[in-house]
């Protein structure tokens, strides 16, 4: 009986540990939010509300030196990181970054200073597309996502994948044949991209069409699907989460609707 009780307690500790990183991350974000609002005087009421009610980006880099691509994620857990809790406020040319140093878990992260960084030259189109999906996910997939998964969607970039899902252009069944014909004709000149958050053995997918450049992308398909279905409909992985603030690759800008 004692052994069984110890085993149950051990499982509880392990389960709690799995969520501790997200707990510390959330606490660190709240510290950063408070620090930014208390110390940045050039924010309008609308800017303040954006910071209050929108999730930031978390930008990591090593405190000393750099890691090669194969080993940096293995070392991330044990080394100190420069971590900027970053808001991309609409209408602002600068990233609002709250800088601090801690381990990757962020349990010891505290704000050190505010950094404003001009990002207009980077054209972070993925970030613009993400803003269209996060609130929808929060409003419509809340009951389907665990705590870890929900925080993953809130605080991380998705993959950008060129896909070939069968999109429904008439979800409510109210469009006339003429309207559908026009929509399908317009779709021929566009490219299908999906934003994909990889969860625990499944994927939250937002699929939609855009012209080259992704600037006019909007989703018409939002589902949680398994790896097999995602693999069957994947054409090319275009950007990974670490590319969230980068430009769209040049080869994607040259695509046409017919590829």
């Amino acid at each position: 009986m004692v052994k069984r009780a110890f085993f149950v307690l051990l499982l509880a500790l392990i389960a709690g540990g799995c969520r501790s990183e997200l707990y510390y991350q959330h606490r660190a974000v709240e510290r950063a939010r408070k620090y930014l609002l208390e110390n940045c005087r050039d924010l309008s009421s609308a800017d303040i509300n954006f910071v209050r009610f929108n999730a930031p980006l978390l930008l990591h880099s090593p405190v000393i030196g750099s890691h090669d691509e194969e080993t940096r994620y293995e070392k991330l857990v044990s080394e100190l990181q420069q971590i900027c809790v970053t808001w991309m406020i609409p209408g602002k040319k600068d990233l609002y970054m709250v800088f601090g140093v801690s381990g990757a878990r962020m349990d010891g992260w505290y704000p050190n200073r505010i950094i404003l960084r001009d990002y207009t030259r980077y054209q972070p189109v993925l970030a613009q597309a993400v803003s269209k999906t996060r609130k929808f996910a929060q409003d419509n997939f809340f009951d389907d996502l665990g705590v870890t998964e929900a925080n993953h969607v809130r605080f991380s970039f998705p993959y950008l994948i060129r896909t070939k899902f069968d999109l429904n252009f008439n979800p409510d069944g109210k469009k006339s044949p003429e309207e559908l014909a026009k929509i399908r004709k317009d779709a021929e000149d566009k490219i299908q991209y999906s934003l994909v958050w990889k969860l625990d053995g499944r994927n939250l997918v937002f699929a939609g069409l855009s012209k080259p450049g992704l600037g006019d992308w909007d989703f018409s398909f939002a589902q949680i699907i398994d790896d097999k279905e995602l693999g069957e409909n994947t054409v090319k992985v275009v950007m990974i989460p670490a590319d969230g603030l980068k430009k769209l690759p040049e080869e994607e800008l040259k695509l046409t609707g017919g590829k």
Side-chain angles (χ1 to χ4, degrees), residues 36-189:
L36 179 62
L37 294 178
E38 288 180 350
N39 292 280
C40 196
R41 304 302 180 189
D42 68 335
L43 300 180
S44 67
S45 297
D47 297 336
I48 290 171
N49 284 331
F50 181 86
V51 173
R52 280 177 176 166
F53 301 115
N54 286 272
L57 312 175
L58 300 180
L59 306 181
H60 294 242
S61 68
V63 169
I64 299 175
S66 61
H67 307 323
D68 58 58
E69 193 70 26
E70 294 181 356
T71 62
R72 61 177 178 174
Y73 295 111
E74 295 175 2
K75 295 179 180 179
L76 187 65
V77 175
S78 60
E79 295 187 0
L80 286 179
Q81 296 284 305
Q82 303 176 69
I83 302 176
C84 288
V85 182
T86 305
W87 280 270
M88 302 176 63
I89 302 175
K92 297 285 191 182
K93 69 179 181 66
D94 293 322
L95 295 171
Y96 282 69
M97 309 168 72
V98 183
F99 171 86
V101 175
S102 74
R105 194 167 66 165
M106 297 185 74
D107 50 329
W109 188 95
Y110 285 88
N112 177 275
R113 63 184 179 273
I114 295 170
I115 300 172
L116 302 185
R117 182 70 54 84
D118 186 347
Y119 71 93
T120 52
R121 64 190 177 94
Y122 297 116
Q123 301 176 7
V125 292
L126 186 56
Q128 297 170 22
V130 165
S131 66
K132 297 180 179 182
T133 59
R134 274 206 178 107
K135 188 174 188 309
F136 186 92
Q138 182 178 338
D139 292 342
N140 295 275
F141 290 100
F142 180 82
D143 293 334
D144 300 304
L145 301 177
V147 174
T148 301
E149 294 174 329
N151 278 287
H152 180 61
V153 174
R154 287 182 62 205
F155 293 115
S156 69
F157 272 117
Y159 287 79
L160 177 66
I161 301 177
R162 208 171 337 129
T163 51
K164 55 180 181 178
F165 290 104
D166 184 15
L167 302 181
N168 185 356
F169 295 114
N170 192 19
D172 57 7
K174 295 181 179 180
K175 291 183 175 63
S176 67
E178 293 77 14
E179 290 173 320
L180 276 174
K182 184 179 185 307
I183 292 172
R184 290 194 176 101
K185 179 65 177 175
D186 292 341
E188 293 176 1
D189 297 325

Side-chain angles (χ1 to χ4, degrees), residues 244-257:
L245 292 178
K246 295 181 180 179
K247 291 181 180 180
L248 196 68
E250 287 293 328
E251 56 268 27
E252 296 298 312
L253 299 175
K254 300 175 183 177
L255 293 178
T256 64

Side-chain angles (χ1 to χ4, degrees), residues 132-138 140-141 144 165-168 171 192-197 203-208 217-225 229:
K132 297 180 179 182
T133 59
R134 274 206 178 107
K135 188 174 188 309
F136 186 92
Q138 182 178 338
N140 295 275
F141 290 100
D144 300 304
F165 290 104
D166 184 15
L167 302 181
N168 185 356
Q192 185 183 135
Y193 288 106
S194 292
L195 301 190
V196 179
W197 277 274
N203 308 274
L204 177 58
V205 177
F206 291 87
W217 180 89
D218 205 353
F219 63 92
S220 55
F221 170 106
Q223 287 187 22
I224 295 175
I225 63 175
E229 184 175 356

